[in-house]
Amino acid sequence: KTMLPGGGKILKRKEVLKKEKVSEAIKQWGYSPSEGTYTYFISKGNSGDLLGILFVQAIEYKHGSIGLAVGYDKGGHVSDIKILSCPEKYVKELSEQVQDNGFLERFLHLSTNEVINKAKDTGKETPETIRQLIANEIGSTSILLKAFQGL
C-alpha cells in the first residue's frame, strides 16, 4: 500500500471479471486475465477523487509463486512496479531477466494501452521466460484497470 499516493483513504475492492469482459479483451488485445474475482486497492482523496490504484498479484511459475505489485496513477499510467516475493530457486533468474536489466522500468509511466502492447511484444519471445510471465501479468493488470475503472 506504500505504492499508492498518500493524502486520502485506501479502499480494498473486489470485482468480478465476467466472461463478456474476457471475450472483449481477447477480441481487442489478443489476451485477457482469467474470468474470476480480483482484489485491488484504490487510493481516494478527501473529496472522493481517485489518486491511484494498486494491483497485487500472485503469478504461478513452475513450482512456486511470484508476488507482483503494479501501481497506477489517477490517469491510468503505471507509477510503480515491484516484485514482492519469489521462491529462492528462481531469484537468480528473476534478477537477471527482470530486475537487474531495467526491464520493469520500461513499463513505468506508460498508459494502459501502451502497457498491453509492450506486454504482447514481450510475449512473442521464445522460449517462454520468467520475463514473459511478468510482462503478461503487468499487461493483465492494465486490462483489469480498463475493465473495472475505465482508465
Side-chain angles (χ1 to χ4, degrees):
K1 294 180 186 177
T2 60
M3 292 173 62
L4 286 168
K9 62 181 176 179
I10 296 174
L11 308 169
K12 183 177 181 179
R13 178 160 299 163
K14 283 188 177 196
E15 287 197 49
V16 176
L17 185 64
K18 296 183 177 162
K19 196 176 201 172
E20 311 83 65
K21 291 286 186 182
V22 170
S23 298
E24 190 179 303
I26 290 172
K27 193 164 117 181
Q28 188 166 356
W29 297 295
Y31 75 104
S32 174
S34 302
E35 190 178 334
T37 303
Y38 290 85
T39 302
Y40 60 102
F41 300 91
I42 298 176
S43 176
K44 291 199 171 200
N46 294 330
S47 59
D49 51 320
L50 178 68
L51 300 175
I53 295 175
L54 176 67
F55 288 92
V56 179
Q57 308 287 90
I59 311 162
E60 292 306 314
Y61 182 67
K62 295 181 182 176
H63 305 290
S65 183
I66 297 170
L68 175 74
V70 183
Y72 290 87
D73 65 20
K74 63 183 176 184
H77 295 84
V78 175
S79 58
D80 201 359
I81 304 173
K82 287 192 176 19
I83 302 294
L84 303 175
S85 62
C86 175
E88 192 173 326
K89 59 185 165 188
Y90 303 122
V91 168
K92 183 178 187 281
E93 182 182 4
L94 187 69
S95 294
E96 290 172 355
Q97 291 189 31
V98 177
Q99 292 178 300
D100 296 343
N101 63 8
F103 177 73
L104 294 177
E105 288 76 12
R106 295 180 205 160
F107 288 92
L108 293 177
H109 313 295
L110 297 181
S111 68
T112 49
N113 284 331
E114 292 169 325
V115 169
I116 293 164
N117 289 330
K118 183 172 271 310
K120 276 175 52 178
D121 289 344
T122 304
K124 294 174 185 170
E125 295 174 3
T126 55
E128 187 173 35
T129 62
I130 196 168
R131 183 156 83 165
Q132 283 177 293
L133 195 66
I134 299 288
N136 186 57
E137 196 63 35
I138 294 169
S140 291
T141 64
S142 283
I143 291 172
L144 291 171
L145 185 60
K146 286 180 142 322
F148 296 152
Q149 295 290 318
L151 294 175

